[in-house]
Amino acid sequence: MADASADVTLRISGLKVSVGSSRVVDGVNIDIGKGEIVALVGESGSGKSLTALSAMGLLSGRVVQSGGDILLNGERIDPLDEQEMSRLRGTRISMIFQEPIASLNPLLSVGEQVAESLFVHGRAGRREAWSQAVQMLADVGIPEPEKRARQFAWELSGGMCQRVMIASALIAEPDLLIADEPTTALDVTVQAQILDLMRRLRDKTGTSILFITHDMGVVASIADRVCVMYGGRVVEQAEVHQLFQAPKHPYTKLLLTTIPKISDTPKAELYSIKGTVPDINAFPKGCRFRTRCPLADDVCLLPPELEAATGAQGGLVACWHSDMTETLQ
């Protein structure tokens, strides 16, 4: 976690999220320092998006926060009602969703949607909000921003819509930006441009970023620190370079093994982790990765605690056999 004495933008402490009687996020702790980019990684079904939606106060229906605290700049926000949370969204905390074209209103111009945060929250009048929206579109690299501002989402490419979403999320300079798979389905060139854009805007505004992804290659490109989730729990936390050089949890090591390498022979079979993430109603006893882990034995029937990793400065791991992870191929 971020140093306790440092300024912390977001603190998630002991978060539990339940769907009916099933606990799908179980005791998650994450700190994000001011201006820090923390990647939250893991396969689909690990609980990443539910963790993010909890921070935004966007859980609904049978999905509820059943425990833990969420603090933004030291103030608890999880007890706030919908009206109070709506005042925070777009101003102090913003989110980029996975599918921008599905998140943008097809009946409003993109300029109106980018300007909305400023106007609705009383930060600017309509004319000033529009002017700032056009400038923000230019800041995120959209050509001819005045023309594009008058267009609709369905007239733009996927990469352009993603830039519009980023502009909308950042126009009010929030303290925290949550980016949920923001580069999914984008080609590698546009993906690289989006990642560079987010880094530059972070440097310019000081916004903290929680970056959710399952792509370890993207993690290496943007993150300062990484939290690895599996089965609704954080299994490892470390600085990005430390995690890539010496992963301590078997799941992390196997995730990294899935990344194609330049040295791979042509047409070589891509590695994949055996098995699948367990159903939320069938998590195994003890370590939730036990049924897929090559190192698992009887001690893994007991749930491991997230503790300081041996030989890793500031790193945390929840594994009984973290000292053996380097033996995995």
Side-chain angles (χ1 to χ4, degrees), residues 81-100:
D81 60 28
E82 176 58 26
Q83 185 176 10
E84 292 170 318
M85 279 301 300
S86 67
R87 296 192 188 103
L88 297 183
R89 298 189 197 112
T91 54
R92 295 181 59 195
I93 180 170
S94 294
M95 187 168 182
I96 303 171
F97 295 93
Q98 291 186 28
E99 298 181 13

Side-chain angles (χ1 to χ4, degrees), residues 300-323:
C300 302
L301 291 169
L302 300 173
E305 297 292 330
L306 191 66
E307 299 176 332
T310 303
Q313 296 181 352
L316 301 173
V317 65
C319 180
W320 295 111
H321 302 302
S322 60
D323 58 336

Side-chain angles (χ1 to χ4, degrees), residues 214-288:
H214 62 272
D215 189 331
M216 297 301 286
V218 169
V219 172
S221 300
I222 195 167
D224 300 312
R225 195 159 47 85
V226 187
C227 294
V228 182
M229 284 190 71
Y230 184 83
R233 295 174 177 169
V234 173
V235 297
E236 183 166 4
Q237 293 188 27
E239 299 293 329
V240 64
H241 298 299
Q242 177 180 297
L243 184 113
F244 275 78
Q245 292 173 4
K248 294 299 181 180
H249 198 282
Y251 180 58
T252 308
K253 178 65 178 286
L254 296 178
L255 278 179
L256 293 173
T257 305
T258 65
I259 302 175
K261 301 177 180 61
I262 295 177
S263 59
D264 289 343
T265 57
K267 298 183 180 180
E269 183 177 351
L270 296 177
Y271 176 81
S272 62
I273 303 174
K274 295 180 180 179
T276 58
V277 176
D279 183 85
I280 62 173
N281 295 309
F283 285 132
K285 181 181 179 181
C287 174
R288 293 184 174 179

